């Protein structure tokens, strides 16, 4: 459930008490706010306040709190209180600095920075050097005795203000800038001199005039108000909305605005700017980690325009600044008791801190850092459990490249940055849209590698569907690196030897040209890019540090975690990941195998029960041997086997294909005996054809109309169970009847299962314990769960079908509707991915209560896709289910999510997944 700090609508802005504090000042050694006030000040503002209070060198400024943003969203403006308090804070800042915004011989310049409660990279670009205009730029040039610096700052302002506030495309400015560099034969931005930059400014102003029909605003106050409002508006831009959706952040929070006195990293060779981490965010190793650039400003380091320098080099260039930075960041880490991600600027040899926050990291690093910090006495074991997002555990399960498959000649570069670990193999695409087109949202479509010179927040939808990301520019803290690490996705960044031509949709390296659709393999653990489709090796989930963290978490867990596995191989895999049984074994998957399909088809084509039984008899030994394998793998753990569920036509050829084949034969070989066979087949296919197969002849309806199918399956299950038990292996079969809506359906099928069980036990003179239960997938079943429980010894919620039948959404076609529903805010999440607590969840809760009112020891679990999704797992814990069942690769995630849910109950820690 969304936590919201939004005040009720009725509290109209004009009735707001005059005392609302909208603006929080920081500077001169103390701040109005503090680090705990992230709701009001946003993460960045809270960090600036906290650092100021700690006496760290932070340029002074003020934060306009999130309430002003929420007001702006409601009313399309801000109240006069906000304007007044902002003017007061500005006056205070001017006084503290002894400067005036954009005026006088020593003009005050500020940055305008967005900053929400949760960091949202790329929501809005920061505007630097605000306050510059045609006059103040001259004053700055004179005062700094550095005209180049002044004009560089002014051109940056026009560029940033132009794109962020005036919404002119960045390319319009880049064109001008690149043309000037070419004209002056300048290789680097820094090679342009004052005169050239002045020319750039004149042309930038023309761009502004042409695109907006107005001049670049010269009044510093106008600039400030416009920039502030642009930050508020940026909360609702598409990138921000998308980021919030995939990260579960409430749309109601709003952003704060930070206005801060500028310090200049572009003053010359004793100035610079950089970013860093107190530990390695990719591996978790305890080392000072980061990058910087001398004579640079703002985002130069992460933008990949120049190649940044490793932070350890700073020790050689400016040892005292380096030591001070280490000392400050170590203090910050101890203070926040977490790995810090910090930003700094050096102005003329003096260090300033511009930001600190808990750093994003890979799952590998999250586990390592948590364990180190417990060992260092910084955090407790209980806290460590919450330092890892359950989804991040994928990192321990990510594949690596098979070295034997790699010939040195295939290695296109080994000098890329290992930005996010794991290996990815796929076809090249050059734009985010192409990635979505080729990869779609389903894993079944073609795997793609998104190749860009560098990524921007606009690429996020493509990054989401790509198997891996490759960029030719940008460092370990570039957008691509940071975002993929958060996603647990493989990324090689800054592979400088690769030339990416997005326009021509080409990648050139080592004299070879690669086009869209060509296969490459990327290794985010080492930074290599390899030609072709290489083999990958499955990882080992038995990392000792992972096991240690799990051993701290697991004692809290109440919910059992099972896996969905249909064949012995998957069952073995699931056990390795710690599954405590199988929650769903789909028998039909066994029938699709090549050797079995003919028998399955013969069964379906049978004219009468006798023929059908004959075909089933052939299937029996195959089913039995599968079950033997699965039971052996699950030695001692329960195995839930579902009787046949899908509509029978799924096992037959497609009607359209048959019709085409028949038409061709009729024309070419009308005498062929095959033609007759096909016609019979077509007749059966047409008999079985249904308009709504998902609501049709499937589930228990099959077993009721053809009881011999259930009989055969029950026989295979019990014969296998008895055989395995005789070998001394413990077996607990749970036979599950799908898609029941009434207790009579359940009684009908349960009677068959029990009768066959008795027969087998008698024949074999042996017995095993077993249960018969049902899958709850229809709202009616949930409503009459107390009745159904009379015949059912367990419930397993099939939340995929239950979501489908509750919403009336076809889960195979919902993607036509879903994007609009999510964009319009009608649904917050895809209900097939995240369990809909209010609707479907209510049915689950209610059916569990009703079922247990009949049978107090009713075993209840879920086996839909939701069983491996952390927020859904949390919900299952809260309503007291016995287990969740998910795909083998999500077992670890589910285990940690279940442990966190239980630990947060016990420790009263905020463990909710929804931010
Ligand atoms: P983001 O949220 O994208 O990190 P920031 O608001 O932190 O954006 O700004 C990005 C960069 O701009 C900072 O890392 C810093 O280098 C630069 N910057 C911001 N404010 C100032 C300032 N007052 N003086 C100098 N540089 C600044
Ligand atoms: Mg920043
Ligand atoms: Mg189902």
């Amino acid at each position: 459930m969304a936590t919201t700090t939004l005040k009720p609508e009725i509290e109209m802005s004009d009735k707001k008490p005059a005392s609302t504090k909208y603006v929080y000042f920081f500077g001169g050694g103390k701040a109005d706010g503090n680090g705990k006030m992230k709701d009001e000040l946003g993460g960045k503002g809270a960090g600036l306040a906290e650092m100021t209070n700690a006496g760290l060198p932070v340029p002074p400024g003020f934060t306009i709190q999130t309430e002003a943003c929420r007001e702006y969203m409601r009313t399309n403006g801000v109240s006069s209180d906000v304007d007044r308090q902002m003017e007061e804070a500005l006056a205070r800042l001017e006084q503290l600095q002894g400067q005036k915004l954009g005026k006088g011989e020593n003009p005050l310049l500020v940055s305008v920075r967005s900053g929400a409660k949760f960091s949202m990279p790329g929501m809005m670009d920061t505007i630097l050097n605000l306050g510059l205009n045609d006059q103040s730029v001259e004053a700055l040039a004179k005062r700094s005795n550095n005209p180049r610096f002044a004009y560089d700052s002014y051109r940056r302002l026009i560029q940033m203000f132009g794109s962020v506030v005036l919404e002119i495309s960045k390319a319009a400015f880049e064109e001008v800038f690149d043309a000037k560099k070419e004209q002056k034969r300048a290789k680097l931005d820094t090679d342009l001199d004052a005169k050239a930059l002045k020319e750039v400014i004149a042309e930038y102003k023309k761009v502004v005039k042409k695109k907006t029909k107005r001049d670049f605003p010269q009044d510093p106050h106008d600039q400030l108000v416009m920039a502030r409002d642009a930050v508020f508006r940026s909360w609702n831009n598409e990138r921000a909305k998308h980021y919030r959706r995939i990260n579960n952040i409430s749309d109601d929070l709003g952003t704060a605005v930070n206005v801060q006195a500028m310090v200049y990293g572009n003053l010359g060779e004793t100035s610079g700017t950089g970013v860093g981490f107190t530990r390695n965010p990719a591996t978790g190793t305890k080392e000072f980690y980061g990058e910087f650039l001398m004579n640079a400003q703002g985002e130069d380091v992460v933008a990949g325009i120049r190649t940044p320098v490793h932070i350890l080099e700073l020790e050689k260039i400016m040892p005292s600044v380096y030591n001070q930075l280490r000392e400050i960041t170590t203090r910050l880490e101890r203070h926040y008791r977490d790995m810090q991600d910090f930003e700094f600027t050096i102005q003329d040899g003096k260090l300033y801190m511009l930001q600190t926050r808990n750093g994003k990291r890979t799952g590998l690093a999250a586990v390592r850092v948590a364990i180190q910090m417990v060992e260092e006495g910084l955090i407790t074991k209980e806290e460590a459990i919450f330092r890892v997002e359950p989804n991040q555990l994928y990192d321990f399960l990510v594949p690596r490249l098979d070295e034997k498959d790699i010939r040195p000649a295939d290695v296109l570069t080994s000098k890329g940055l290992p930005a996010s670990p794991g290996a990815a193999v796929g076809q090249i695409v050059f734009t985010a849209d192409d990635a979505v087109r080729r990869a779609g949202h389903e894993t079944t479509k073609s795997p793609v590698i998104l190749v860009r010179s560098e990524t921007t927040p606009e690429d996020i939808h493509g990054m989401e569907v790509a198997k891996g990301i490759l960029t030719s520019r940008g460092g370990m803290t570039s957008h691509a690196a940071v975002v993929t690490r958060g996603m647990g996705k493989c990324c090689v960044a800054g592979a400088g030897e690769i030339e990416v031509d997005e326009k021509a949709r080409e990648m050139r390296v080592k004299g070879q040209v690669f086009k869209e659709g060509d296969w490459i393999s990327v290794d985010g653990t080492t930074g290599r890019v390899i030609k072709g489709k290489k083999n990958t090796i499955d990882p080992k989930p038995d990392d000792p540090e992972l096991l240690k963290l799990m051993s701290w978490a697991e004692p809290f867990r109440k919910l059992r975690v099972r896996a969905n596995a249909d064949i012995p191989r998957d069952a073995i895999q699931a056990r390795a990941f710690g599954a405590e049984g199988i929650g769903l074994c789909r028998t039909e998957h066994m029938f699709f195998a090549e050797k079995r399909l003919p028998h399955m088809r013969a069964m379906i084509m049978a004219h009468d029960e006798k023929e059908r039984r004959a075909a089933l008899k052939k299937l029996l030994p195959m089913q039995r041997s599968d079950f033997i394998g699965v039971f052996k793998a699950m030695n001692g753990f329960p195995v839930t086997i579902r009787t046949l569920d899908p509509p029978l036509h799924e096992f037959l050829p497609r009607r359209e294909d048959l019709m085409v084949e028949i038409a061709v034969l009729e024309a070419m070989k009308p005498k062929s005996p095959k033609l007759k066979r096909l016609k019979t087949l077509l007749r059966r296919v047409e008999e079985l054809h249904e308009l709504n197969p998902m609501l049709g002849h499937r589930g228990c309806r099959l077993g009721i109309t053809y009881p011999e199918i259930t009989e055969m399956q029950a026989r295979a299950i019990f014969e296998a169970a008895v055989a395995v038990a005789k070998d001394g292996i413990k077996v607990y079969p749970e036979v599950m009847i799908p898609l029941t809506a009434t207790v009579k359906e359940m009684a009908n099928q349960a009677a068959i299962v029990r009768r066959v069980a008795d027969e087998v036990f008698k024949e074999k003179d042996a017995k095993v314990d077993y249960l018969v239960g049902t899958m709850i997938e229809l709202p009616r079943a949930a409503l009459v769960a107390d009745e159904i429980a009379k015949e059912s010894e367990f419930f397993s919620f099939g939340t995929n079908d239950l979501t489908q039948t509750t919403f009336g959404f076809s889960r195979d076609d919902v993607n036509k509707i879903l994007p609009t529903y999510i964009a319009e805010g009608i649904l917050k999440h895809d209900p097939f991915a995240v369990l809909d607590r209010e609707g479907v969840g209510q049915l689950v809760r209610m059916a569990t209560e009703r079922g247990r009112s009949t049978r107090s020891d009713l075993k209840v679990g879920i086996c839909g896709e939701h069983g491996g999704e952390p927020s859904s797992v949390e919900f299952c814990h809260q309503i007291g289910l016995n287990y969740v069942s998910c795909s083998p690769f999500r077992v670890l995630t589910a285990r940690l999510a279940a442990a966190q849910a239980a630990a947060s109950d016990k420790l009263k820690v905020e463990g909710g997944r929804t931010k």
Side-chain angles (χ1 to χ4, degrees):
M1 264 148 285
T3 43
T4 157
T5 49
L6 183 60
K7 304 258 164 61
E9 289 282 338
I10 33 167
E11 203 177 314
M12 301 290 281
S13 54
D14 54 330
K15 292 211 186 110
K16 213 164 263 306
S19 59
T20 302
K21 185 170 170 61
Y22 287 105
V23 181
Y24 289 74
F25 194 82
F26 56 90
K30 62 177 192 301
D32 295 350
N34 62 56
K36 295 211 172 67
M37 300 177 66
K38 284 191 187 174
D39 282 329
E40 295 87 354
L41 305 181
K44 198 179 287 166
L48 290 169
E50 191 82 353
M51 288 197 290
T52 304
N53 284 331
L56 300 184
V58 175
F62 53 87
T63 304
I64 306 169
Q65 71 133 309
T66 52
E67 176 60 21
C69 177
R70 292 191 291 272
E71 219 173 274
Y72 187 91
M73 290 191 287
R74 283 199 298 270
T75 64
N76 250 324
V78 296
S79 67
S80 55
D81 275 355
V82 175
D83 277 325
R84 186 179 44 76
Q85 290 184 29
M86 187 176 91
E87 292 305 326
E88 282 166 15
L90 179 62
R92 192 169 156 195
L93 180 63
E94 289 177 334
Q95 181 153 30
L96 184 71
Q97 295 288 90
Q99 297 172 296
K100 287 266 175 215
L101 181 67
K103 290 207 178 85
E105 287 172 13
N106 181 15
L108 171 67
L109 305 186
V110 295
S111 63
V112 176
R113 320 170 65 186
S114 64
K117 177 172 181 186
F118 302 103
S119 129
M120 294 171 54
M123 181 173 81
M124 198 206 78
D125 294 330
T126 293
I127 297 165
L128 302 177
N129 312 322
L130 187 135
L132 280 177
N133 56 24
D134 295 349
Q135 274 90 54
S136 57
V137 72
E138 301 303 335
L140 186 69
K142 208 160 157 202
R143 170 99 195 173
S144 64
N145 201 13
N146 188 340
R148 191 202 169 271
F149 150 75
Y151 297 123
D152 184 48
S153 302
Y154 193 24
R155 72 95 188 159
R156 285 171 189 265
L157 170 66
I158 302 174
Q159 192 169 338
M160 287 184 265
F161 195 93
S163 78
V164 175
V165 182
L166 306 175
E167 294 176 20
I168 300 168
S169 85
K170 281 188 184 143
F173 296 109
E174 272 159 18
E175 247 166 57
V176 170
F177 200 72
D178 289 345
K180 187 58 68 185
K181 270 165 79 177
E182 198 155 304
Q183 183 199 344
K184 304 278 175 186
R185 293 181 206 283
K187 262 182 92 181
L188 298 174
D189 294 5
T190 38
D191 294 339
L192 287 183
D193 62 10
K195 185 170 156 285
L197 289 167
K198 236 177 149 166
E199 290 162 17
V200 169
I201 290 166
E203 289 187 44
Y204 274 8
K205 287 206 273 187
K206 277 191 208 146
V207 170
V208 171
K209 178 93 194 207
K210 190 166 154 227
K211 303 269 177 183
T212 66
K213 312 272 177 284
R214 291 167 66 180
D215 288 320
F216 177 77
Q218 291 289 316
D219 181 336
H221 277 88
D222 288 352
Q223 291 177 0
L224 182 58
V225 169
M226 287 170 82
R228 175 196 69 193
D229 292 353
V231 174
F232 289 153
R233 284 195 300 275
S234 75
W235 176 256
N236 275 329
N237 70 28
E238 290 306 314
R239 280 181 285 162
K241 285 200 276 194
H242 191 87
Y243 187 86
R244 287 201 290 276
R245 196 162 71 234
I246 59 181
N247 288 285
N248 245 348
I249 298 171
S250 165
D251 285 332
D252 302 331
L253 298 175
T255 179
V257 181
N258 300 287
V259 178
Q260 190 176 23
M262 282 301 299
V263 287
Y264 307 102
N266 53 340
L267 261 179
E269 290 307 318
T270 54
S271 301
T273 182
V275 296
F277 291 86
T278 51
R279 313 200 179 205
N280 185 317
T283 62
T285 308
K286 191 171 181 180
E287 62 187 354
F288 203 46
Y289 187 85
E291 291 160 333
F292 74 102
L293 276 174
M294 297 312 279
N295 197 9
Q297 192 179 51
E299 307 277 64
D300 289 3
V301 180
V302 288
I305 297 160
R306 281 154 63 195
T307 301
V309 184
H310 197 282
I311 200 152
L312 296 179
E313 294 292 307
L314 186 62
E315 189 171 16
K316 294 177 200 151
I317 304 173
M318 293 186 153
S320 73
V321 169
Y322 175 82
N323 287 330
Q324 192 193 359
L325 183 64
R326 278 214 77 152
E327 190 262 322
I328 287 175
T329 54
T330 308
R331 248 173 82 193
L332 284 170
E333 190 184 86
R334 303 217 134 252
H335 179 74
Y336 285 104
R337 304 192 312 137
D338 201 353
M339 178 183 99
Q340 295 299 294
D341 165 357
F342 54 85
E343 301 178 359
F344 64 94
T345 282
I346 306 162
Q347 172 177 315
D348 255 345
K350 183 167 165 24
L351 176 68
Y352 291 93
M353 297 305 294
L354 288 169
Q355 191 170 333
T356 192
R357 62 182 163 197
N358 296 340
K360 291 212 190 325
R361 63 206 80 173
T362 62
L364 242 55
V367 169
R368 301 239 148 96
V369 168
I371 287 176
Q372 284 165 17
M373 288 192 166
V374 171
E375 281 162 3
E376 291 164 23
L378 222 53
I379 60 174
T380 63
K381 284 181 188 171
E382 286 76 20
E383 286 173 297
I385 301 170
F386 292 93
R387 291 291 172 92
V388 182
E389 279 284 334
N391 277 329
Q392 288 189 305
L393 294 184
Y394 280 112
D395 283 11
F396 288 91
L397 314 177
V398 292
R400 42 201 176 91
L401 289 174
D402 181 358
E403 297 299 332
K404 290 197 292 289
D405 198 27
I406 298 170
R407 294 176 306 149
D410 291 340
V411 179
L412 298 174
T413 177
S414 53
K415 290 194 196 138
L417 299 170
S420 187
V425 178
Q427 292 177 286
I428 298 175
V429 289
F430 292 99
T431 70
D433 290 341
D434 289 340
V436 171
R437 192 172 43 74
R438 255 180 199 269
H441 284 279
E442 296 132 42
T443 42
T444 48
K445 290 199 187 165
S446 161
V448 300
I449 308 287
L450 179 61
V451 179
R452 307 278 294 158
S453 51
E454 55 195 291
T455 62
T456 69
E458 275 118 30
D459 294 326
I460 197 94
H461 57 296
M463 298 174 76
E464 221 183 317
V465 297
K467 285 270 176 247
I469 312 288
L470 167 63
T471 67
S472 57
R473 288 192 279 181
M476 286 295 277
T477 46
S478 65
H479 179 264
V482 171
V483 172
T484 48
R485 252 177 253 140
M487 291 177 168
K489 184 163 288 186
C490 154
C491 174
V492 172
E497 291 171 328
I498 293 177
E499 194 188 329
V500 179
D501 185 339
E502 279 138 4
K503 267 204 185 125
R505 286 190 164 62
E506 261 180 31
M507 161 181 126
R508 293 182 284 273
V509 56
K510 273 189 161 179
Q512 303 172 48
V513 179
F514 294 82
K515 302 219 179 261
E516 182 178 319
D518 289 346
W519 286 85
I520 50 168
S521 306
V522 292
D523 179 359
T525 313
T526 63
R528 286 174 306 172
V529 181
I530 296 140
K531 180 175 165 177
K533 192 175 174 179
K534 298 296 169 199
N535 291 329
T536 52
I537 300 179
D538 291 339
K540 270 196 175 171
D542 55 0
D543 177 283
E545 282 172 310
L546 171 66
L547 296 183
K548 193 179 224 174
L549 186 96
M550 291 306 284
S551 79
W552 295 341
E554 290 274 82
F556 289 98
R557 180 160 64 88
K558 298 234 169 67
L559 212 49
R560 298 249 145 195
V561 176
R562 300 194 190 181
N564 299 344
D566 305 329
I567 52 173
R569 190 192 61 219
D570 289 353
I572 291 164
Q573 175 73 277
R575 275 296 299 137
F577 293 152
E580 300 159 298
I582 288 178
L584 176 61
C585 176
R586 286 159 290 209
T587 48
E588 61 269 20
H589 282 204
M590 300 170 169
F591 294 134
F592 283 116
E594 214 180 321
K595 280 200 211 121
R596 304 175 181 192
L597 200 54
H599 300 298
M600 187 65 188
R601 285 189 177 165
M603 193 276 284
I604 298 169
M605 298 298 291
H607 291 97
D608 52 28
E609 190 186 323
K610 197 165 153 240
E611 268 188 51
R612 195 154 42 242
R613 282 190 183 276
L616 283 165
K617 214 167 174 179
K618 299 226 172 80
L619 288 168
L620 175 70
M622 301 172 184
Q623 284 250 285
R624 191 174 50 216
S625 76
D626 287 328
F627 294 144
I628 288 176
V630 171
F631 286 145
K632 280 187 176 160
M634 280 296 142
N635 182 11
F637 287 109
V639 176
T640 307
I641 298 168
R642 179 178 69 186
T643 53
L644 194 65
D645 180 52
L648 293 180
H649 70 79
E650 283 194 11
F651 299 95
L652 298 181
R654 272 161 36 102
R655 182 166 163 243
E656 293 72 20
D657 296 346
L658 275 175
M659 283 158 81
V660 170
E661 212 178 326
I662 288 171
V664 170
L665 275 182
E666 267 175 344
M668 316 285 286
K669 292 183 191 156
K671 296 239 169 66
S672 147
K674 195 176 172 195
L675 187 58
K676 200 168 155 234
R677 271 209 318 274
L678 288 182
K679 281 188 169 167
T680 322
L681 190 57
L682 178 63
R683 213 170 309 130
R684 188 71 180 129
V685 167
E686 278 177 340
E687 274 165 24
L688 291 173
H689 179 71
E690 292 176 301
L691 285 181
N692 274 318
M694 291 311 278
L695 300 177
H697 194 181
R698 56 171 292 218
C700 67
R701 301 158 196 175
L702 284 171
I704 290 170
T705 47
Y706 302 128
E708 52 279 10
I709 298 179
T710 308
E711 261 171 41
M712 181 280 284
Q713 294 200 292
R715 179 162 283 276
I717 293 168
F718 292 112
E719 286 183 358
V722 167
V724 171
K726 279 190 174 161
D727 284 350
I729 294 167
K730 291 199 191 91
V731 272
Y732 297 107
E734 300 177 342
V735 184
M736 180 159 76
I737 310 302
L739 211 76
T740 51
T742 70
V743 66
K744 294 224 166 121
E745 288 170 322
M746 187 58 208
N748 173 300
Q749 292 291 287
I752 297 176
V753 174
R754 296 208 171 94
R755 172 172 54 78
V756 173
D758 287 343
E759 284 167 17
V760 173
F761 296 159
K762 206 178 255 169
E763 286 162 24
K764 308 283 174 191
D765 195 23
K767 244 184 161 152
V768 295
D769 289 333
Y770 69 94
L771 299 178
V772 187
T774 188
M775 231 169 146
I776 305 270
E777 311 175 79
L778 298 170
R780 190 183 195 283
L783 290 166
V784 299
D786 46 349
E787 280 295 308
I788 290 180
K790 287 180 187 156
E791 289 291 339
S792 183
E793 293 164 308
F794 67 87
F795 286 173
S796 175
F797 290 93
T799 49
N800 297 343
D801 263 318
L802 189 58
T803 300
Q804 169 163 270
T805 52
T806 300
F807 274 97
F809 279 151
S810 156
R811 64 196 235 226
D812 304 299
D813 304 309
V814 73
N815 276 338
K816 293 200 182 115
I817 312 163
L818 209 54
T820 313
Y821 269 43
I822 287 174
E824 292 292 322
I826 293 170
L827 286 177
K828 188 146 198 296
H829 303 286
D830 174 354
F832 291 100
V834 179
L835 188 76
D836 158 50
R837 296 187 183 197
E838 288 82 28
V840 180
Q842 191 186 332
L843 284 174
V844 173
R845 182 202 298 265
M846 187 194 73
T848 304
E849 283 164 7
R850 291 191 180 176
R852 285 185 178 151
S853 72
T854 301
R855 191 186 286 272
S856 60
D857 61 346
L858 186 79
K859 221 192 220 186
V860 185
I862 73 164
C863 62
E865 283 302 298
H866 305 95
E869 191 280 316
S871 120
S872 313
V873 172
E874 181 189 45
F875 180 74
C876 292
H877 165 82
Q878 287 168 350
I879 63 169
L881 298 197
N882 300 93
Y883 69 88
V884 294
S885 187
C886 56
S887 75
F889 273 87
R890 298 175 92 176
V891 165
L892 258 180
T893 294
R895 281 167 59 202
L896 183 59
Q900 286 183 346
S904 72
D905 281 354
K906 192 155 175 192
L907 306 168
K908 308 265 174 279
V909 183
E910 193 192 325
R913 301 260 65 79
T914 308
K915 288 169 188 151

